[in-house]
Amino acid sequence: MRHMVPGDDAILTHLRRGALEYCVLALLAQEPRYGLDIARRLGADGVLLGSEGTLYPLLARLRRSGLVTTTWQESPEGPPRRYYTLTADGRDALEAFRRTWKPFREAVEMTLGPTAHPPGGAG
Amino acid sequence: MNIADHQVVRDYLDELDRMLQGLDPVQRTEVVDGVREHIDASLADRPDARDEDVRAVLADLGPASAVAEEAYAARPDAAPATPPQRVPVLARGWVPRVVGVGTGVVLVLTFLALSMTHGGLSESGGCSGGVCETSVDYSASLPSAVAVLLAVSWLWLPLVALATSTELWTPREKVILVVLVPGAVVAVLGLSDLGWALTHAEVGPTVGAWTGTALGFVGGGIALRRLTSRAGDRVPAS
């Protein structure tokens, strides 16, 4: 896990609130996945997920909102596992995020820029 | 590997459950279940996981307080547009109970129906000139099988429909539930037929029928109990 200065944590938390659930939806766009799989993929660099456990409240919220559902499937190692699947609403939400994220991200990056220019200046 | 064997895991999950007391009970159970399944899956291929393996998994999960904080976090759209979602009606506790008890009743009825057909055996005999002979005959069992299954279908088919519609069983488990009753019938009648074919005497179908009963009905009953209990564990609390 990356070592963060205090203060970065608060900002990161807020940024995650906006985008993380759409990252989860994006992981489920190709195929259903089980919790540990999602946690490992998102948690690897410590940027998207502070700790793997914080995934589970997020998944519970996504289920409550009807964006994902769960099924039980046989697993090669051990007992059957709970798999998370994207619903039609989930797909719509993901597409809406994709449409919005790109212009948002570009606007933020342009505004932050290598050096900030006053409005109207060359970007 | 039974994670309940590890006190550290029990303590972690208990602490998490306590910290989530303020949540909607369905949400609380889902979060704790999700974390428990995560731990199970992490240690699935290490049947004799040592304490340090378990602690590593818990370290990656992070403190229970962080999970709880995330669970209580205000979201940008804090008020959900739809009311808090209730547990879907087919995922509730009554489903495994109804399927379990109902299929059990079907098995008993089927067994009684089969035993009343006397395994297709019939005796005929005649005496002539002071010598009496009896001969045993055995009739094909397929009509019996069809008749028995039709007789219980009014109860059996709705149970099959229910079992296949719920999310509480895996596809493979659903297949087992569907073939359970016809499988028991086929086992008894099939082995009975086989016994006749091998011996052409009363002992053949009798042994076959009893073997089929043990495999089909007793075995089926055990499988039914196990699957019902598994599904019961998967029901979210409400």
Side-chain angles (χ1 to χ4, degrees):
Chain A
M1 293 246 279
R2 288 174 38 195
H3 186 64
M4 302 290 253
V5 198
D8 291 22
D9 274 353
I11 295 172
L12 199 49
T13 303
H14 280 104
L15 292 173
R16 283 169 181 156
R17 293 269 149 74
L20 186 54
E21 58 184 72
Y22 301 100
C23 293
V24 173
L25 296 181
L27 280 186
L28 299 178
Q30 297 299 325
E31 58 181 316
R33 296 187 192 276
Y34 59 97
L36 180 63
D37 187 18
I38 302 172
R40 292 260 160 88
R41 284 169 195 269
L42 291 178
D45 55 10
V47 175
L48 287 176
L49 272 185
S51 55
E52 290 179 351
T54 56
L55 172 66
Y56 293 96
L58 178 55
L59 285 171
R61 277 202 294 272
L62 288 173
R63 271 179 92 184
R64 185 170 70 182
S65 314
L67 300 181
V68 312
T69 62
T70 66
T71 57
W72 286 84
Q73 305 284 345
E74 301 293 331
S75 112
E77 316 91 34
R81 283 178 180 149
R82 188 198 303 263
Y83 276 74
Y84 297 86
T85 313
L86 210 52
T87 62
D89 284 352
R91 262 182 221 288
D92 290 345
L94 177 58
E95 289 316 306
F97 183 77
R98 283 195 208 276
R99 282 195 299 272
T100 332
W101 173 251
K102 192 162 181 299
F104 178 76
R105 188 199 69 202
E106 287 174 354
V108 170
E109 283 181 3
M110 193 171 71
T111 310
L112 288 180
T115 52
H117 288 276
Chain B
M1 199 288 299
N2 187 357
I3 63 158
D5 290 345
H6 290 267
Q7 186 63 41
V8 222
V9 172
R10 278 202 298 271
D11 289 345
Y12 184 88
L13 292 174
D14 284 346
E15 191 191 354
L16 180 60
D17 190 63
R18 263 200 310 278
M19 288 182 166
L20 296 175
Q21 291 292 324
L23 269 191
D24 169 57
V26 174
Q27 295 286 96
R28 179 168 94 235
T29 311
E30 282 187 17
V31 175
V32 175
D33 282 352
V35 172
R36 183 188 304 112
E37 286 154 25
H38 176 112
I39 299 172
D40 271 339
S42 303
L43 299 169
D45 45 3
R46 282 179 277 183
D48 49 350
R50 296 159 305 167
D51 265 1
E52 52 245 52
D53 295 324
V54 173
R55 283 181 211 278
V57 169
L58 293 182
D60 283 339
L61 273 173
S65 53
V67 180
E69 200 182 308
E70 176 65 26
Y72 286 118
R75 303 179 56 226
D77 52 330
T82 55
Q85 194 182 46
R86 305 180 65 210
V87 176
V89 81
L90 289 180
R92 301 204 191 145
W94 64 271
V95 173
R97 284 196 291 267
V98 165
V99 172
V101 170
T103 309
V105 167
V106 171
L107 279 177
V108 168
L109 290 177
T110 313
F111 178 71
L112 290 176
L114 283 177
S115 50
M116 289 196 302
T117 65
H118 298 292
L121 281 169
S122 60
E123 286 191 4
S124 57
C127 295
S128 70
V131 176
C132 292
E133 287 187 349
T134 56
S135 66
V136 174
D137 201 3
Y138 184 81
S139 56
S141 61
L142 185 58
S144 307
V146 173
V148 165
L149 285 174
L150 280 178
V152 296
S153 61
W154 58 274
L155 179 55
W156 180 63
L157 287 176
L159 290 171
V160 161
L162 183 59
T164 49
S165 316
T166 180
E167 67 183 50
L168 296 173
W169 281 298
T170 70
R172 194 178 84 174
E173 291 167 344
K174 288 177 184 178
V175 167
I176 294 173
L177 287 169
V178 170
V179 304
L180 208 128
V181 168
V185 172
V186 164
V188 170
L189 296 178
L191 288 176
S192 184
D193 284 357
L194 181 64
W196 175 254
L198 291 176
T199 65
H200 285 282
E202 193 178 331
V203 64
T206 307
V207 169
W210 281 110
T211 310
T213 302
L215 288 176
F217 284 90
V218 177
I222 293 172
L224 179 64
R225 197 161 144 63
R226 194 175 297 171
L227 287 179
T228 306
S229 150
R230 266 196 218 169
D233 288 341
R234 293 173 188 159
V235 173
S238 57

